[in-house]
Amino acid sequence: MAGAWIIADNREQTLELLTIGRELATTMGTKLTALLWQDQELADDYISHGADEILLLPPLPEDQPPGAYIPVIADEAQKKDPDIILMASTVRGKEMAARIATRLNTGLCSNCIALNLGEDGKTVEMERLVFGGTAVQKVTCTVRPAMATIPLKTFEPAVKQEGRQGDIRELPAPAPSPVKILERKPRETEAKDISESRIVVCVGRGIEKEEDLALARKLAHALGGEIGCTRPISEENHWLPEELCIGISGISVKPDLYIGLGISGQVQHVTGIRDAKVICAVNTDENAPIFAAADYGIVGNLYDVVPKLIEAFKT
Amino acid sequence: MPNIVVCFKWVIDEAYIRRGSSGELDFSSVSYKISDYDRNAIEEAVRLRNESGGRVAAVTVGSPEATKGLKDALSRGPDQAYFINDASFENIEPSQTSAILADVIGSKIEYDLIICGEGSSDLYTQQVGPRLAERLGIPCISFVLKLTIDGNHIIAERKVEDGVEVTAAPMPVLVTVLPDINTPRIPGVKDTLMASKKEVVNIAKDDLAQTYEPTLQTTAMTAASMERRCVKFGAEPGDIAGFVEALEKEGVLR
Ligand SMILES: Cc1cc2nc3c(=O)[nH]c(=O)nc-3n(C[C@H](O)[C@H](O)[C@H](O)COP(=O)(O)OP(=O)(O)OC[C@H]3O[C@@H](n4cnc5c(N)ncnc54)[C@H](O)[C@@H]3O)c2cc1C
Ligand SMILES: Nc1ncnc2c1ncn2[C@@H]1O[C@H](COP(=O)(O)O)[C@@H](O)[C@H]1O
């Protein structure tokens, strides 16, 4: 038995995984299977985007987390023995992947940023970042199936092809999970997606008070850009939504211009701006690591420098 | 009164890793630290014990060099530590780490609640917690930003992409915690002195039920490169003008 499987929380991520899944399945001469539990109507949609087979999981009661599917998915994987299982690197996906990998007694490459089939046409070589982004680690799984979780936007979404055919199969309903969801509190504000922004002004802990974000916003406005932040600003201070957190555990950006204000430049953050064309930084500490990662740095107090920059960019 | 187990890792401080001339990693001047988010995990375990009673055992798997980490961990408030060590544990991967932890925790430690960090500072695989839960056959709640004990249940607020899920599970249960959950203490001199009096249980490779083979093999490890100009300006008017001019030349302004 063989096959490539993809498992994702929603349509957007499934389409991205269908791209890489299709590529692998075609090269390996095997079948591409997509799992589906959210909206059962999507089965044909996934087939037309590249899947050969859909495994339908029956909908769960309101209070059940998708983790309840783990035993059913692992049992089916044991029966069908796929070569590879790719899952979306989301909060739920990461937990499910680790637990499925444990049941299958196999290895899992978390947050895989690149994936290549080796010369033997079977071994999948996977890349990930370690030490906060200081290093790139290449791994292979020594046991079947190879498994990886893949961050959002690593691959382009699959395009629709007319006339594709595929099978739809139903998997059994899972036993209830001991974990129950008591309440879902949806996110209050939808943050902007800055991953494609041309200019990003990013704020760090050098900003003293929440009100002072206005200064960074003004600069972003003068440049026609968007605002982002470091993890302490979103996660500890809760001054900005975490979709704006740039770095290894946040988003990656690739603007033409990035300006970091009061950011020390630790590798976990800098990893997220690696693909920026020009990196600038304002920091009072001339030895701050951000200056080694920047093209143009200003050693100075942001409260003094930023108003001057706003003035200069206006003219 | 819950028995709480907290898992922590003693890691290389990534800030001291240098890039060698041919792109290799230079570890010659590194120092070590407790994995950043494991400080939150320990803090949360100690907070819950102070509130509900019970005991906190801190557990780590590592090479014998990780001894320093035990004192650091214990100075943060746990009652006792388990040190599962062998020279071969230096470079193990998450399926092995979690299997070794499950082996020891399952056979030697009483537990109602196990707390792990969201991810380790070095490998950041975010796997060890969920894998450990699966090995022990207990429920898992990951990425938790608020934790309460309610009778024999754990109530956890979990951060997901579309908001927050309030979840409940019967103990024993494993949770992985986000750094938002608390602010870790900075241990004082007294805490460090107290730490040296606390019990450390040493567990050797031979004390494990079996050996655990890797399922993931590292085929290469290279320094991520980032070449930048590194031009520095001051904050005087002339500097600001020079800075703006440089950006204009780069063609990155609209
Ligand atoms: C596993 C893991 C994952 C992580 N993931 C991320 C991530 O995805 N994104 C992320 O950002 N971080 C991440 N971090 C955290 C990261 O290690 C750093 O702690 C964080 O990036 C530091 O944020 P900062 O630069 O805003 O704050 P600090 O490090 O506190 O730096 C503040 C800087 O501001 C300067 N400053 C102070 N006042 C002024 C002033 N008036 N004018 C100018 N400069 C001033 C100071 O000199 C200092 O350099 C992660 C950490 C871990 C362990
Ligand atoms: N060697 C280890 N010893 C004890 N706990 C560990 C070890 N490695 C990882 N952990 C725990 O598992 C969490 C996730 O680690 P990781 O899967 O490596 O990202 C950490 O925050 C720790 O709580």
Side-chain angles (χ1 to χ4, degrees):
Chain A
M1 288 288 205
W5 283 25
I6 60 170
I7 308 176
D9 303 29
N10 61 32
R11 179 171 185 269
E12 187 189 358
Q13 291 143 6
T14 303
L15 292 197
E16 291 175 13
L17 294 187
L18 280 171
T19 299
I20 178 66
R22 186 66 261 161
E23 195 182 310
L24 283 174
T26 305
T27 327
M28 302 192 323
T30 188
K31 191 162 81 171
L32 178 59
T33 299
L35 273 74
L36 172 61
W37 64 79
Q38 307 81 5
D39 175 0
Q40 316 262 327
E41 302 292 308
L42 287 172
D44 289 324
D45 182 47
Y46 289 175
I47 291 172
S48 65
H49 282 86
D52 299 310
E53 180 189 47
I54 305 297
L55 297 183
L56 271 186
L57 286 150
L60 292 171
E62 191 53 14
D63 69 348
Q64 284 286 301
Y69 291 128
I70 289 169
V72 177
I73 297 174
D75 282 353
E76 184 67 14
Q78 238 137 19
K79 269 188 238 149
K80 291 293 184 294
D81 189 29
D83 303 280
I84 185 162
I85 302 178
L86 303 178
M87 297 182 64
S89 202
T90 56
V91 169
R92 299 184 183 93
K94 287 189 273 200
E95 182 192 311
M96 284 175 74
R99 294 172 58 195
I100 292 170
T102 305
R103 284 186 176 240
L104 300 178
N105 202 12
T106 192
L108 166 66
C109 172
S110 312
N111 296 315
C112 169
I113 50 168
L115 181 153
N116 292 295
L117 211 51
E119 277 166 20
D120 61 0
K122 282 202 295 254
T123 313
V124 189
E125 199 169 61
M126 300 173 280
E127 281 179 29
R128 61 187 309 272
L129 297 171
V130 289
F131 297 117
T134 307
V136 181
Q137 177 189 30
K138 282 191 182 161
V139 295
T140 56
C141 286
T142 54
V143 183
R144 285 173 65 89
M147 285 186 70
T149 51
I150 298 185
L152 198 61
K153 300 212 163 103
T154 305
F155 297 100
E156 294 292 318
V159 281
K160 190 173 174 151
Q161 294 160 275
E162 293 304 328
R164 278 191 56 88
Q165 302 284 311
D167 304 323
I168 300 174
R169 225 153 36 81
E170 272 178 53
L171 294 183
S177 159
V179 178
K180 297 221 158 29
I181 300 174
L182 305 178
E183 189 191 344
R184 289 173 216 262
K185 302 182 190 167
R187 149 153 304 153
E188 283 148 24
T189 47
E190 273 300 313
K192 225 179 147 105
D193 176 9
I194 58 163
S195 58
E196 305 291 335
S197 298
R198 277 210 318 107
I199 293 178
V200 173
V201 172
C202 190
V203 295
R205 262 203 297 227
I207 294 271
E208 279 161 23
K209 317 185 282 299
E210 189 170 359
E211 299 88 85
D212 300 344
L213 289 175
L215 195 57
R217 286 214 168 88
K218 253 192 183 160
L219 178 61
H221 188 74
L223 288 164
E226 304 293 342
I227 179 164
C229 66
T230 60
R231 191 163 178 179
I233 297 294
S234 59
E235 202 137 315
E236 284 164 32
N237 298 348
H238 301 284
W239 289 350
L240 286 170
E242 79 234 22
E243 292 93 328
L244 296 183
C245 164
I246 298 172
I248 192 163
S249 52
I251 59 162
S252 291
V253 293
K254 42 183 182 211
D256 288 345
L257 175 62
Y258 162 99
I259 303 183
L261 306 176
I263 292 173
S264 60
Q266 286 170 58
V267 64
Q268 291 89 355
H269 175 69
V270 168
T271 295
I273 55 172
R274 212 167 276 279
D275 294 327
K277 191 164 164 229
V278 173
I279 295 179
C280 300
V282 181
N283 196 308
T284 38
D285 173 8
E286 63 172 327
N287 296 317
I290 191 74
F291 289 124
D295 295 292
Y296 305 102
I298 297 178
V299 182
N301 188 325
L302 72 92
Y303 289 96
D304 164 41
V305 171
V306 175
K308 290 181 185 166
L309 287 178
I310 295 169
E311 213 36 57
F313 286 131
K314 265 197 207 150
T315 51
Chain B
M1 293 211 294
N3 286 304
I4 305 175
V5 172
V6 58
C7 300
F8 74 95
K9 189 177 187 186
W10 185 242
V11 299
I12 288 176
D13 187 338
E14 67 284 345
Y16 296 94
I17 303 174
R18 301 272 165 269
R19 181 185 156 84
S21 49
S22 49
E24 80 280 11
L25 295 171
D26 175 359
F27 292 108
S28 59
S29 51
V30 295
S31 61
Y32 288 75
K33 62 176 177 182
I34 287 204
S35 179
D36 300 42
Y37 299 159
D38 294 354
R39 296 175 206 172
N40 300 89
I42 296 173
E43 189 64 41
E44 195 59 14
V46 171
R47 184 189 72 79
L48 287 170
R49 176 205 59 199
N50 293 350
E51 227 174 69
S52 324
R55 285 175 63 75
V56 174
V59 185
T60 191
V61 180
S63 74
E65 272 88 72
T67 313
K68 276 208 204 106
L70 293 163
K71 208 168 160 192
D72 187 330
L74 286 172
S75 70
R76 295 167 187 275
D79 301 288
Q80 183 193 26
Y82 288 79
F83 185 26
I84 315 166
N85 67 95
D86 188 88
S88 66
F89 293 166
E90 170 101 54
N91 282 316
I92 50 176
E93 54 96 11
S95 77
Q96 295 170 288
T97 310
S98 53
I100 294 167
L101 285 169
D103 185 325
V104 172
I105 296 173
S107 66
K108 296 185 169 62
I109 311 179
E110 274 186 50
Y111 62 91
D112 301 297
L113 171 63
I114 304 177
I115 306 181
C116 285
E118 170 225 338
S120 58
S121 301
D122 54 353
L123 296 183
Y124 200 49
T125 74
Q126 305 177 304
Q127 290 182 31
V128 171
R131 277 187 181 268
L132 173 57
E134 202 63 26
R135 281 252 173 197
L136 293 171
I138 61 172
C140 172
I141 309 176
S142 52
F143 303 95
V144 168
L145 39 77
K146 190 165 178 232
L147 202 56
T148 6
I149 296 178
D150 180 14
N152 60 351
H153 277 69
I154 284 291
I155 313 285
E157 294 196 8
R158 176 178 197 229
K159 184 145 81 184
V160 290
E161 277 77 9
D162 36 13
V164 171
E165 275 175 5
V166 186
T167 48
M171 294 197 272
V173 56
L174 183 144
V175 299
T176 76
V177 297
L178 288 168
D180 324 27
I181 198 162
N182 55 39
T183 308
R185 72 190 62 194
I186 298 165
V189 180
K190 221 170 110 201
D191 302 310
T192 314
L193 285 177
M194 292 246 292
S196 29
K197 301 202 182 82
K198 292 178 180 171
E199 182 196 17
V200 175
V201 182
N202 268 284
I203 293 167
K205 200 176 181 180
D206 286 345
D207 301 328
L208 302 179
Q210 62 173 94
T211 54
Y212 301 95
E213 296 306 319
T215 55
L216 205 60
Q217 195 185 355
T218 300
T219 55
M221 184 89 107
T222 47
S225 72
M226 185 135 127
E227 298 290 316
R228 293 287 167 179
R229 290 182 200 274
C230 304
V231 179
K232 265 191 230 170
F233 294 90
E236 298 307 315
D239 289 292
I240 301 290
F243 174 83
V244 173
E245 193 184 328
L247 296 191
E248 272 163 0
K249 277 211 188 109
E250 291 277 0
V252 291
L253 301 174
R254 286 196 308 185

